[in-house]
Amino acid sequence: MRERKKRRTREALERAALRLFVTQGYDRTTVDEIVDAADVSQRTFFRYFAGKEEVAFATQDAVDALFLAELRRRPAGEAPFDAMRGAALAVWAAVDGTDGGDVSAELRTCAHRMIESTPALHAAHVRRTLGLEQQAARLIAEREGLDPETDPRPRVAVAAFSGVMRLVTGLWGRREGAGAEELRELTELHLDQLRPALSGCWRPA
């Protein structure tokens, strides 16, 4: 019960912050306004978040953590690309509220659009993405028994995968009312084009 209450408080702070960020701008929103909107104290806010940037990225951080956890759980014999694809699709199933995920599609859409439209947050997002890619490359190298410092394949595979996922989330974020099902469909469509796009011939016969 205590954990459920903590989760509800955290989610209430996330929703309040994101709605304020979207309606009046990230830079013009204060922590005081967030805690007033969530009906909690400032002390409670700082119990969960170090500041505005952390709450702005809370939804994305949760999704990234889910992806790494799912990647670790993929079958050992699965090829690297298939493991990343499977992990991504498992994450989109988890963020769908009907599957009981902690991160709602509504919150994710809201956070994505706000981050993309705020220069300071967009720069921070790029840094965080690079960190995620490094962690994923290390996981892939570990799965394959490789040294990522001497073998470039894990980093190359993750860079290609990450580029497609940036494309997918960008397309999804611009679709009004798009939910987790649309995100899953876009992910499958674009990831399944990666191999033929890189290795096949595009010219008509």
Side-chain angles (χ1 to χ4, degrees):
M1 187 179 297
R2 184 181 297 116
E3 290 304 313
R4 285 198 299 270
K5 183 177 179 180
K6 287 181 179 179
R7 186 170 65 247
R8 286 196 298 267
T9 300
R10 182 183 179 89
E11 290 175 350
L13 284 165
E14 285 184 54
R15 290 192 197 95
L18 291 174
R19 284 170 182 154
L20 286 169
F21 293 157
V22 169
T23 56
Q24 65 186 35
Y26 173 79
D27 294 327
R28 290 190 294 273
T29 299
T30 66
V31 171
D32 285 337
E33 289 174 315
I34 295 170
V35 298
D36 286 346
D39 196 26
V40 299
S41 68
Q42 193 175 95
R43 181 179 179 181
T44 298
F45 176 90
F46 287 111
R47 191 178 300 141
Y48 291 92
F49 303 104
K52 286 199 308 176
E53 182 177 303
E54 188 170 321
V55 72
F57 282 101
T59 300
Q60 185 61 54
D61 288 345
V63 170
D64 291 348
L66 277 174
F67 173 74
L68 293 174
E70 291 294 340
L71 186 56
R72 290 187 185 95
R73 283 196 285 265
R74 299 305 300 177
E78 203 169 36
F81 176 78
D82 294 329
M84 289 187 286
R85 180 184 183 278
L89 294 177
V91 169
W92 300 155
V95 302
D96 185 352
T98 60
D99 288 335
D102 292 335
V103 184
S104 72
E106 176 191 3
L107 267 181
R108 178 166 168 76
T109 307
C110 188
H112 175 80
R113 289 175 178 162
M114 183 267 301
I115 290 168
E116 288 293 314
S117 62
T118 307
L121 292 180
H122 184 68
H125 178 56
V126 171
R127 293 194 301 271
R128 287 167 176 261
T129 299
L130 289 174
L132 176 65
E133 290 177 2
Q134 290 171 357
Q135 292 181 73
R138 285 196 294 269
L139 276 176
I140 292 296
E142 183 180 330
R143 285 171 52 89
E144 300 300 307
L146 304 175
D147 181 355
E149 298 304 318
T150 58
D151 193 319
R153 286 177 293 177
R155 291 194 299 273
V156 169
V158 170
F161 175 86
S162 183
V164 173
M165 294 308 299
R166 280 195 294 273
L167 171 64
V168 166
T169 54
L171 292 170
W172 177 75
R174 291 191 292 273
R175 291 189 178 185
E176 291 293 334
E181 180 62 22
E182 290 84 357
L183 183 53
R184 184 190 64 77
E185 291 173 357
L186 282 170
T187 298
E188 287 185 313
L189 172 65
H190 287 78
L191 285 178
D192 290 348
Q193 293 302 315
L194 186 57
R195 286 194 185 99
L198 292 178
S199 61
C201 178
W202 302 352
R203 296 173 185 171

